[in-house]
Amino acid sequence: MVIREHTWMNRLTCVIALFFLGVALATGALSAGAAKGPVLAPQLLARVNGSSTVYVLSTSADFESDNPAACNYQACFHLQRTNDNGAHFTTGHLPSITFANGSLLGNLSQVIFATMDDGYILLGGSPVATLKVTVDGAKTWHSESIAPDVSILDFTTTHSELYAVIAHCPKSGECTNYRIARSPLSANRWSFTKLAKWPSGMGVGMGAYGSSVWLTQQTHATVVVFSSHNRGRTFTRSSAPKLGSVYACSITAMSTTALWAECPTGMSVSFFYSGDGGVHWNVLPVVQFAGTGGGAFDPVSSTVGYLAYGPSDTPGAKNLYRITNDGRTMTPVGRLACNIVNGLVFTDTMHGLAACDRGNTQATTYLLQTFDGGATWKKVGLN
């Protein structure tokens, strides 16, 4: 599952807050899980779809520890895996992540795991990103290339294949030569299909399940959905005017027919559900959801999703909702008392984890777990 974790706008809010509090991050060697050590603050969660496995990426302020040189006197990055909702953790490793001004996660832009062993990290952004690959559950990482001198505009995976939308995007000027790329999980044997030109600056949205692939395109007139059921070799184009957006909608595919869509509409975000493979969409009856409001959206299955609204002005008010009935019903189920939800992952309707920032600091950011569908939450120790 991709970890763009909730929305880029929520991440921006956290970045701004931490910037003014003087929190700096830089290159880090990875080590975690020791009996004694720095406090780990979870910043991103990545679930292996269809399993109980969740990867937790954290930072630690090692510049305050007994070994300040461990990460160049800045914060270190850590990676751990749990298969039992946070009861136990296995320590992993990360490739080198470098400092990026104004970014909470340095030059890390995306984390996704296709299986417990096969994972992918994108480092850097425009115009060219570096793809790092693990095939042994984050024990080791190596670099792979999709094609020379291309930008990776979107990246996703099924249980057996990888998909990427790529293009040649100079630092100035429009992108050209749009293609969809496909590879086995090894990420070293790519095949390509040419795509139509995309509107400049409108982004690309993508989702995949089995042999089906969906792309979303925001044009100046409407949202367009491209559907393929032969692994991206050919696509059928259809308009989806309900998916009102200012940027391409991101798609989470839970089956060949069940799709969830998250669409930025400016400072707010709208959410949608399709039960027929993207032909028709139901808009979720969401009260205005601010993209910078600290909430998070987590599609769990073909029938259930969760939406955390972020901090509430009403003390004790429930701000976590379970989504059912093909996206038509929103049921308040619990409260996440977080200023910012850095990550929200449910492995089934009852068991979930949340990376919760309660005070915009390293020390007030920690992992929470629920065993009752979000009704109650308990703090989890990562050390």
Side-chain angles (χ1 to χ4, degrees):
M1 175 181 182
V2 167
I3 292 188
R4 306 179 176 107
E5 262 315 306
H6 50 88
T7 66
W8 67 269
M9 289 182 286
N10 291 346
R11 179 66 63 190
L12 177 63
T13 303
C14 188
V15 171
I16 294 171
L18 290 178
F19 175 80
F20 283 108
L21 286 168
V23 177
L25 298 176
T27 305
L30 177 89
S31 67
K36 295 181 180 181
V39 175
L40 303 185
Q43 307 294 351
L44 184 150
L45 306 179
R47 176 195 174 194
V48 178
N49 279 344
S51 78
S52 60
T53 300
V54 179
Y55 280 86
V56 182
L57 190 148
S58 306
T59 57
S60 65
D62 284 355
F63 53 88
E64 298 174 352
S65 72
D66 294 333
N67 185 19
C71 298
N72 298 327
Y73 298 87
Q74 301 282 344
C76 289
F77 295 93
H78 306 255
L79 187 68
Q80 294 167 287
R81 182 182 71 233
T82 179
N83 301 318
D84 51 15
N85 205 45
H88 304 89
F89 290 93
T90 300
T91 299
H93 293 80
L94 285 168
S96 178
I97 299 172
T98 59
F99 174 78
N101 190 29
S103 173
L104 179 65
L105 293 176
N107 69 334
L108 188 152
S109 59
Q110 190 172 347
V111 179
I112 184 171
F113 278 83
T115 70
M116 188 172 72
D117 293 327
D118 300 293
Y120 314 90
I121 284 178
L122 293 181
L123 297 174
S126 179
V128 177
T130 299
L131 174 61
K132 295 290 186 177
V133 179
T134 181
V135 294
D136 56 14
K139 294 178 183 176
T140 60
W141 296 82
H142 64 276
S143 297
E144 293 288 354
S145 175
I146 298 178
D149 301 321
V150 297
S151 296
I152 303 173
L153 305 182
D154 208 342
F155 189 91
T156 194
T157 180
T158 67
H159 291 302
S160 60
E161 289 186 298
L162 306 177
Y163 293 92
V165 175
I166 61 174
H168 289 284
C169 298
K171 290 184 178 180
S172 60
E174 294 187 1
C175 297
T176 59
N177 192 22
Y178 284 84
R179 290 173 290 170
I180 186 167
R182 183 181 75 255
S183 171
L185 297 183
S186 58
N188 60 2
R189 299 195 306 275
W190 294 92
S191 58
F192 304 92
T193 300
K194 188 174 179 59
L195 295 173
K197 182 180 178 181
W198 241 247
S200 178
M202 293 293 189
V204 178
M206 180 168 56
Y209 188 93
S211 61
S212 297
V213 184
W214 295 267
L215 303 176
T216 65
Q217 177 189 78
Q218 172 64 48
T219 71
H220 295 290
T222 187
V223 176
V224 177
V225 176
F226 295 87
S227 304
S228 172
H229 301 290
N230 57 6
R231 293 180 167 84
R233 294 182 179 90
T234 60
F235 285 88
T236 300
R237 183 185 188 276
S238 62
S239 61
K242 270 195 175 182
L243 300 183
S245 184
V246 297
Y247 195 80
C249 302
S250 62
I251 299 291
T252 302
M254 291 299 183
S255 72
T256 57
T257 57
L259 310 177
W260 300 86
E262 182 174 351
C263 301
T265 57
M267 295 301 292
S268 299
V269 183
S270 295
F271 305 93
F272 303 84
Y273 176 87
S274 175
D276 56 10
V279 178
H280 302 94
W281 295 88
N282 297 331
V283 59
L284 273 59
V286 176
V287 178
Q288 186 176 35
F289 184 92
T292 56
F297 177 55
D298 181 43
V300 180
S301 68
S302 298
T303 57
V304 176
Y306 281 90
L307 183 67
Y309 268 89
S312 171
D313 294 333
T314 305
K318 293 181 178 180
N319 62 352
L320 177 69
Y321 288 75
R322 183 182 296 123
I323 308 161
T324 55
N325 190 25
D326 292 345
R328 298 183 182 92
T329 302
M330 302 275 294
T331 305
V333 293
R335 176 174 175 80
L336 272 172
C338 314
N339 284 353
I340 298 171
V341 182
N342 289 334
L344 179 66
V345 168
F346 278 80
T347 55
D348 57 41
T349 57
M350 292 290 104
H351 298 82
L353 296 169
C356 176
D357 180 352
R358 285 192 171 176
N360 299 329
T361 69
Q362 181 89 16
T364 58
T365 301
Y366 38 78
L367 192 66
L368 300 176
Q369 65 183 181
T370 182
F371 294 92
D372 55 12
T376 59
W377 295 86
K378 178 182 177 183
K379 187 175 178 180
V380 180
L382 286 166
N383 291 84

